[in-house]
Amino acid sequence: MTGRKAELAANLAEVEARIAAACRAAGRARDEVKLIAITKTFPASDVALLAELGVTNVGENRDQEAGPKAAEVPGLRWHMVGRLQRNKARSVVGWAQEVQSLDSARLADALAKAVRAARDAQIRDEPLDVLIQASLDDDPDRGGCPLAELGALAEHVTHTGELRLRGLMAVAPLGADPAAAFERLARAGEALRKDHPNAADVSAGMSHDLEQAITHGSTCVRVGTALLGGRGLASP
């Protein structure tokens, strides 16, 4: 095993142990929580090594970085987890199986239009899975739909015909207690599922707060630093 692969294997084992321990503490089964490796700023070679180690879900924050990686390492489930501009919708639909950062009706319309175009071009034959990003701090600079508007946006998404609503995603507010934020998200998810029972996914928790997220019902943790190490400057 190469030096980098051994490093990633050790990191992955540690993250898996943390997830398993958090699930036990919460009285949940380990298979209730999906691990997404967040590989932004790291090379496709690291993604390939993670795939060899059994990682099947990969997340990226930037379309221009993700597209080439997805082409180089096929066969994985790729997730867009960063803020997304509408003019990137067509490109993202070309590589992502899921967008976790949908936060407006206008973005939903752009993604649905891109899915239709990809289907007509015989590039894609499946709807796009989406999670609505919920704002837990009402900070417009961090993205997300205000909690009071989740129901209306969910209805809009389900009526596009090209998007499949899978649940909610959120990032804990900076400097706040993540447990309290994830409790709010859990309540929002319960309310959403009353009208959209298939929207059962809750994507919450990262390297520093995955335990609190799992305690409050997260079904998907997005882990970068704990898996791959500290990041340098973002790629251009």
Side-chain angles (χ1 to χ4, degrees):
M1 189 178 288
T2 66
R4 180 57 171 164
K5 188 173 183 180
E7 178 185 1
L8 293 176
N11 291 348
L12 178 59
E14 184 174 341
V15 169
E16 283 287 350
R18 288 176 60 192
I19 295 172
C23 287
R24 284 195 301 272
R28 303 176 63 193
R30 168 62 188 89
D31 62 7
E32 292 180 30
V33 180
K34 176 170 59 184
L35 170 63
I36 297 181
I38 304 301
T39 55
K40 65 179 182 181
T41 78
F42 287 96
S45 58
D46 278 354
V47 179
L49 290 174
L50 287 171
E52 291 175 12
L53 293 168
V55 171
T56 57
N57 288 276
V58 179
E60 285 283 336
N61 289 60
R62 305 174 74 212
D63 167 64
Q64 58 266 46
E65 183 180 349
K69 286 186 190 177
E72 191 170 337
V73 192
L76 300 176
R77 183 167 172 82
W78 290 83
H79 306 256
M80 177 63 176
V81 300
R83 293 194 71 181
L84 178 58
Q85 295 177 324
R86 296 191 305 280
N87 62 3
K88 298 290 187 180
R90 183 181 290 265
S91 178
V92 167
V93 162
W95 59 264
Q97 283 75 51
E98 182 172 86
V99 170
Q100 294 203 354
S101 49
L102 191 155
D103 62 359
S104 71
R106 295 177 71 189
L107 178 55
D109 291 342
L111 288 169
K113 181 179 179 181
V115 172
R116 284 192 293 272
R119 184 191 60 207
D120 291 345
Q122 299 184 334
I123 297 171
R124 184 185 192 102
D125 58 7
E126 286 285 323
L128 177 68
D129 289 338
V130 298
L131 275 65
I132 295 176
Q133 182 177 351
S135 174
L136 299 178
D137 56 10
D138 297 321
D139 182 349
D141 291 333
R142 300 188 75 204
C145 174
L147 297 184
E149 299 174 16
L150 288 177
L153 181 53
E155 287 297 319
H156 188 90
V157 167
T158 57
H159 283 93
T160 64
E162 308 291 352
L163 307 179
R164 198 156 42 196
L165 180 61
R166 292 302 196 187
L168 298 178
M169 181 272 269
V171 180
L174 296 171
D177 176 14
F182 295 144
E183 185 177 4
R184 291 180 68 202
L185 181 65
R187 291 197 300 269
E190 290 175 5
L192 181 70
R193 288 190 293 276
K194 290 179 181 177
D195 293 320
H196 305 278
N198 292 326
D201 289 348
V202 179
S203 177
M206 298 187 287
S207 293
H208 61 288
D209 57 14
L210 66 85
E211 286 86 358
Q212 293 96 323
I214 290 171
T215 296
H216 291 284
S218 173
T219 65
C220 171
V221 292
R222 311 181 303 274
V223 180
T225 301
L227 273 179
L228 292 128
R231 291 182 171 84
L233 294 175
S235 58

